[in-house]
Structures are given as C-alpha cells and as structure tokens.
Amino acid sequence: MKNLILIFAVALFFSCNSNAQKPETKEKETFEISKTDAEWKKDLTEQEYYVLRQAGTERSFSSNLNKEYSEGIFHCAACDTPLFKSDHKFNSGTGWPSFDREIEGNVAFSTDSNLGYIRTEEHCGTCGGHLGHVFNDGPRNTTGKRHCINGVSLKFVPKK
C-alpha cells in the first residue's frame, strides 16, 4: 500500500509541472527603434520602463488618461508613434484607457500566456513597447474589441 501511495504522489508531482508554469519564451522581434536596456532606462521614467519594457501593469484608475476624451491622438510614450484616436476611446469601467480599435499598422500583437491562459498582448509597432491587451468584450455596435491600455504607455496629443 505504501508503494502505491508513493507512486501516486510522484505521478501527481510530475503532472503539476505544466507548461503554464514555465516562463514563456518569445522570439525576439526586430523593431524600427531599438535601444539597449540602459538607454531605455535613461529615456523613460521608472513607471514607463516597468510597463513599456518589462510588460508591467499600472494600477487601475491611476492614469489621468483614463478620463481623457478631448479630440486628439494617443501616442506611444517611448517613441511618439500614433497608436489610438480619441474617436475610438470609450469608458470600459475597467480603470484603464480603452479603445475599440488601433491605428492600423502601428500596433503589433503577440500571444501572452503568463497568467496561465492565453491573451492577446499589444505592443507599439515601432519600438516594441508593451501597451496592454486586447479582449473581445468591447462595444458591440463597433468592433466588439476592447484594447485595454496602460495609460503610462501613452501620451496624449490634442488636436490643434
């Protein structure tokens, strides 16, 4: 009986070692703007570096851009690439700036499974900075998408 329990315990131990618990290995993409880690640290604030370069997430409801609805364009805070139009911004109630679409060609997408399930991650198409994630729970009367973006990864440029 002890041998049976030991075999069961060993089998259970190895079955818990799934791929969801292993760090994801991503192929390194090449972006038009490429800097060393030291250069990014020098050019970005600590919070911008954490989100844009380390794929961090800012606290919900902490960004001034969450309630920014003036006419203009939201650019990448790291490289100034235009990413989202204010016309496509909506209040998702999540505490992060949300858009129903990106400026086509300026946002890159990848698969993120760091939390044990698959999500679509968004990056600046020019510098590769982490922006947030896109979900299928956006406004049904437009695209049905919710681009949930960290405000610290954006800078707002009002229309002149």
Side-chain angles (χ1 to χ4, degrees), residues 113-159:
S113 60
N114 291 337
L115 296 180
Y117 61 94
I118 295 174
R119 303 183 292 174
T120 301
E121 185 174 357
E122 296 185 72
H123 307 273
C124 172
T126 303
C127 72
H130 170 76
L131 303 172
H133 294 86
V134 62
F135 302 98
N136 291 319
D137 59 1
R140 292 177 192 235
N141 61 333
T142 60
T143 64
K145 301 288 184 193
R146 174 174 55 96
H147 297 259
C148 186
I149 307 300
N150 290 284
V152 73
S153 67
L154 301 172
K155 77 174 185 180
F156 180 68
V157 178
K159 184 176 180 180

Side-chain angles (χ1 to χ4, degrees), residues 18-46:
S18 72
N19 285 337
Q21 296 171 341
K22 294 179 182 172
E24 184 175 333
T25 55
K26 292 182 182 178
E27 286 185 32
K28 188 164 184 157
E29 291 185 56
T30 304
F31 293 97
E32 184 180 325
I33 294 177
S34 180
K35 297 182 182 184
T36 66
D37 203 43
E39 289 171 319
W40 283 121
K41 282 183 178 179
K42 180 180 162 239
D43 293 345
L44 302 171
T45 68
E46 188 176 317

Side-chain angles (χ1 to χ4, degrees), residues 35-60:
K35 297 182 182 184
T36 66
D37 203 43
E39 289 171 319
W40 283 121
K41 282 183 178 179
K42 180 180 162 239
D43 293 345
L44 302 171
T45 68
E46 188 176 317
Q47 185 70 7
E48 288 170 339
Y49 179 81
Y50 169 67
V51 171
L52 286 159
R53 306 318 306 172
Q54 296 182 313
T57 302
E58 69 188 1
R59 261 186 22 251
S60 61

Side-chain angles (χ1 to χ4, degrees), residues 42-109:
K42 180 180 162 239
D43 293 345
L44 302 171
T45 68
E46 188 176 317
Q47 185 70 7
E48 288 170 339
Y49 179 81
Y50 169 67
V51 171
L52 286 159
R53 306 318 306 172
Q54 296 182 313
T57 302
E58 69 188 1
R59 261 186 22 251
S60 61
F61 299 100
S62 66
S63 172
N64 293 336
L65 295 181
N66 190 39
K67 298 287 184 185
E68 179 59 69
Y69 290 100
S70 304
E71 196 173 351
I73 305 286
F74 293 84
H75 290 233
C76 175
C79 72
D80 205 31
T81 297
L83 302 171
F84 301 96
K85 295 179 181 179
S86 60
D87 295 347
H88 303 137
K89 190 170 189 293
F90 68 96
N91 183 0
S92 66
T94 62
W96 289 281
S98 297
F99 306 86
D100 69 355
R101 69 196 82 171
E102 77 282 3
I103 294 176
E104 200 167 321
N106 291 359
V107 176
F109 300 92

